[in-house]
């Protein structure tokens, strides 16, 4: 099924181009490494203590809920870094640099030491040492959302606090800034503002745009019934709703919200609840019940429901790449998104699929970047690197000494 609606979009994003020597001011200023000499100007994009690289510096953060053991796998060197334990952690999220190990009583923050700075027409890639940051307050259900300036923690009861990104980058949490009021969804930093949902008892949630002090500065005319899931794309912030999604965009200081409907009544069990995508892409994925996957093309304002086998995990790099689905047979399946045709399948990679919540188990995930996908195999204590553009070829296999039930990729 393909449902389309014209959605006013921002100007097409320029392709990211790495210009380490001339793209940020010209000449020899944009050199990588530990800094410029005293007689040279500070290079544009320079980060103290970090080394700039000409390619993506991806790392995988891994966690074993059963033992509390955590690791950082450097995908450039293949080296595995031992890190502190996170006892009780049942979820792991990331903002592209920091890993957030979510436990019942708090959230451990780990600096992976790999990140990207996007200047729109070019990007900078950095690597630095892995370091502990601290523990954020917040129990089960607390969400973390970030941009280059702030990180916001929104608890399950709708309270939110904001942390300065500069403090986290220095290895400390700093003092939180509580935001006034309560919210009906995660508070999402976007366009130097905060996008969220507010709701009165019994009424559908409404979009609200706040400044960084928490003051409401815009209320686009849009409602979101039964909100679930959100994602930041180059086209704007996507908020999942009962009848589809809302796309919140900013253009020259003006915020608008456009509905992207499913186009038909979708049972609650088949709605998109949690989006996964490649950072920087505007193509989102979400399970659509047991045997299908929703693909939302934000640029086109179109939902596509791809019929698959029983879905365990799904993701896509977007932009013409296949939909990659881990199915209950333990194999990865590739699908052409426009036609829904299966284009490839691997041998079974996961011999045993853990039951979510059983013995600290968590469902495997698929992380995707511009050239590779990564699949964690908790029972086999390994991670597979997949070339999704080459018939789902297994490019590398990483054996680790923990059950990597939790996994996120940083450095993208």
């Amino acid at each position: 099924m393909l449902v389309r609606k014209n959605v006013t979009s921002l100007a097409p994003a320029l392709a990211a181009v790495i210009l380490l020597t001339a793209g940020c001011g010209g000449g020899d200023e944009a050199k990588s490494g530990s800094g410029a000499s005293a007689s040279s100007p500070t290079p544009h994009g320079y980060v103290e203590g970090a080394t700039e690289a000409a390619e993506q510096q991806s790392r995988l953060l891994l966690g074993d809920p059963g033992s509390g053991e955590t690791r950082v796998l450097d995908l450039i060197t293949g080296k595995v870094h031992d890190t502190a334990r996170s006892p009780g952690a049942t979820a792991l999220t990331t903002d592209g640099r920091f890993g957030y190990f979510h436990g019942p009583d708090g959230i451990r923050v780990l600096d992976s030491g790999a990140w990207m700075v996007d200047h729109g027409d070019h990007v900078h890639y950095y690597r630095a040492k892995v370091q502990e940051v601290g523990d954020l307050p917040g129990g089960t259900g607390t969400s973390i959302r970030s941009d280059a300036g702030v990180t916001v923690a929104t608890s399950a009861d709708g309270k939110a606090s904001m942390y300065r990104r500069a403090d986290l980058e220095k290895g400390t949490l700093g003092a939180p800034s509580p935001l006034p009021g309560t919210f009906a969804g995660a508070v999402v930093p976007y366009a130097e503002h905060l996008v969220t949902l507010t709701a009165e008892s019994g009424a559908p949630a409404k979009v609200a745009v706040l400044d960084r002090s928490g003051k409401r500065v815009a209320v686009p005319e849009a409602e979101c019934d039964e909100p679930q899931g959100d994602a930041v794309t180059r086209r704007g912030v996507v908020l999942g709703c009962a009848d589809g999604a809302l796309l919140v965009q900013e253009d020259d200081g003006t915020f608008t919200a456009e509905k992207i409907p499913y186009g038909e009544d979708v049972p609650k069990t088949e709605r998109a609840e949690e989006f996964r995508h490649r950072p920087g892409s505007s193509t989102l994925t979400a399970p659509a019940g047991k045997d299908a996957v929703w693909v939302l093309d934000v640029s086109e304002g179109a939902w596509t429901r791809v019929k698959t086998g029983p879905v365990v995990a799904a993701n896509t790099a977007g932009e013409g790449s296949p939909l990659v689905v881990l199915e209950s047979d333990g194999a990865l399946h590739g699908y052409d998104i426009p036609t829904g045709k299966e284009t490839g399948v691997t041998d079974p990679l996961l011999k045993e699929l853990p039951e979510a919540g059983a013995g600290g188990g968590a469902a495997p995930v698929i992380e995707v970047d511009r050239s590779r996908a990564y699949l964690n195999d908790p029972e086999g204590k390994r991670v597979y690197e997949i070339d999704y553009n080459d018939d789902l070829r297994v490019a590398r296999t990483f054996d680790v000494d923990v059950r990597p039930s939790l996994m996120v990729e940083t450095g993208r």
Side-chain angles (χ1 to χ4, degrees):
M1 179 186 72
L2 178 62
V3 180
R4 294 185 180 274
K5 181 181 184 299
N6 292 329
V7 178
T8 303
S9 60
L10 302 176
L14 296 174
V17 181
I18 303 168
L19 298 175
L20 296 181
T21 59
C24 298
D28 297 324
E29 293 183 4
K31 293 182 179 179
S32 63
S34 58
S37 66
S39 60
S40 301
T42 300
H44 179 67
Y46 166 72
V47 177
E48 184 176 2
T51 299
E52 190 171 3
E55 61 181 1
Q56 183 173 287
Q57 300 296 294
S58 290
R59 291 174 177 175
L60 295 178
L61 277 61
L62 308 172
D64 181 350
S67 67
E69 296 292 336
T70 67
R71 300 287 188 269
V72 177
L73 169 59
D74 191 319
L75 294 171
I76 302 299
T77 66
K79 180 180 178 180
V80 177
H81 300 265
D82 291 342
T83 50
R85 296 177 70 248
S86 289
T90 56
L92 173 59
T93 59
T94 186
D95 54 21
R97 172 174 178 174
F98 296 93
Y100 302 93
F101 291 86
H102 297 249
D105 302 315
I107 299 171
R108 171 186 163 219
V109 185
L110 177 66
D111 185 350
S112 73
W115 69 94
M116 177 188 74
V117 177
D118 188 349
H119 287 294
D121 61 341
H122 65 282
V123 297
H124 297 268
Y125 296 111
Y126 293 100
R127 61 186 295 116
K129 66 179 181 179
V130 178
Q131 64 176 346
E132 298 290 334
V133 177
D135 295 313
L136 289 171
T140 302
T142 298
S143 65
I144 303 292
R145 303 290 186 268
S146 304
D147 68 1
V150 298
T151 291
V152 182
T154 309
S155 63
D157 63 4
K159 299 291 186 181
S161 292
M162 187 168 58
Y163 297 81
R164 294 177 65 249
R165 184 78 169 191
D167 290 331
L168 271 66
E169 292 171 353
K170 294 176 181 177
T172 179
L173 296 176
S177 299
L179 297 174
T182 58
F183 308 100
V187 177
V188 182
Y190 168 68
E192 300 183 3
H193 288 74
L194 305 171
V195 173
T196 189
L197 293 166
T198 61
E200 298 179 359
S201 179
K206 295 184 178 181
V207 177
V209 179
L210 318 176
D211 64 17
R212 293 293 163 101
S213 70
K215 179 182 178 182
R216 191 173 304 192
V217 295
V219 184
E221 290 295 326
E223 294 183 344
C224 183
D225 196 17
E226 299 182 40
Q228 188 74 45
D230 59 85
V232 178
T233 75
R234 285 187 178 273
R235 300 290 179 176
V237 178
V238 174
L239 306 172
C241 310
D243 57 352
L246 283 175
L247 174 62
V248 181
Q249 297 178 298
E250 182 271 340
D251 185 9
D252 197 24
T254 299
F255 288 84
T256 59
E258 298 269 358
K259 180 72 74 174
I260 308 177
Y262 289 123
E264 63 178 39
D265 289 336
V266 175
K268 189 172 184 177
T269 56
E270 297 180 6
R271 296 173 189 166
E273 295 184 351
E274 181 180 357
F275 297 108
R276 297 191 66 83
H277 71 304
R278 175 180 62 79
S281 167
S282 293
T283 305
L284 309 181
T285 65
K290 295 181 179 179
D291 301 307
V293 175
W294 286 114
V295 180
L296 173 57
D297 185 331
V298 180
S299 300
E300 296 294 328
W303 291 92
T304 302
R305 190 175 188 272
V306 179
K307 293 183 178 180
T308 66
V311 178
V312 178
N315 211 333
T316 183
E319 301 174 2
S321 297
L323 171 66
V324 182
V325 182
L326 173 66
E327 300 185 8
S328 61
D329 59 3
L332 287 176
H333 297 249
Y335 294 90
D336 178 66
I337 295 172
T339 65
K341 179 182 178 182
E342 185 175 81
T343 58
V345 60
T346 67
D347 293 331
L349 299 177
L350 275 62
K351 307 303 181 184
E352 183 178 351
L353 293 172
E355 295 182 15
V365 297
I366 300 171
E367 291 286 295
V368 177
D369 58 35
R370 287 188 175 277
S371 61
R372 295 290 189 267
Y374 296 91
L375 171 67
N376 55 328
D377 178 5
E379 300 303 321
K381 293 186 177 181
R382 61 177 66 93
V383 175
Y384 294 102
E385 180 181 77
I386 307 297
D387 186 345
Y388 53 80
N389 287 317
D390 188 14
D391 294 326
L392 304 178
R393 176 178 60 86
V394 177
R396 291 188 291 178
T397 300
F398 300 96
D399 294 314
V400 293
D401 62 347
V402 299
R403 296 177 73 255
S405 298
L406 307 176
M407 181 180 76
V408 294
E409 183 179 357
T410 65
R412 297 176 293 180

